Amino acid sequence: MTMNWKKWIKAAGIRAIKTMAQTAIATIGAAAVISEVNWAVVASATALAGILSLLTSLAGLPETQDINVYYDTPYPHADELEDKI
């Protein structure tokens, strides 16, 4: 049995990095001038956004929706699930 955790970690990591970058830009942009930026607030808000993104990814990632974590093949019986929806 092979694990696809690497694919999930990569997708969740990319999503967390993007979220952190967006948060940092928004937090820095809230200051009127660059010299007024509270870097401690930027760092803590950015770190919190990254943690929350990873925790949210535990619920599921659209990028890995068709990947079974335990097998290298698409999720078994996925076609049967579509028929029930």
Side-chain angles (χ1 to χ4, degrees), residues 12 25 42 50 77-80:
I25 290 168
V42 172
H77 312 295
D79 53 341
E80 294 174 11

Side-chain angles (χ1 to χ4, degrees), residues 1-3 5 8 12 18 25-26 28 33 41 49-52 60 64-66 69 72-75 80 83 85:
M1 200 174 349
T2 59
M3 298 289 283
W5 285 107
W8 183 89
K18 288 180 180 180
I25 290 168
I28 292 168
V33 222
V41 171
I51 292 167
L52 291 175
T64 60
Q65 196 171 40
D66 62 339
V69 175
D72 285 328
T73 58
Y75 201 85
E80 294 174 11
D83 295 337
I85 297 176

Side-chain angles (χ1 to χ4, degrees), residues 50-83:
I51 292 167
L52 291 175
S53 176
L54 289 173
L55 291 174
T56 303
S57 294
L58 291 174
L61 289 170
E63 300 91 339
T64 60
Q65 196 171 40
D66 62 339
I67 297 172
N68 185 341
V69 175
Y70 299 103
Y71 301 99
D72 285 328
T73 58
Y75 201 85
H77 312 295
D79 53 341
E80 294 174 11
L81 294 176
E82 290 177 4
D83 295 337

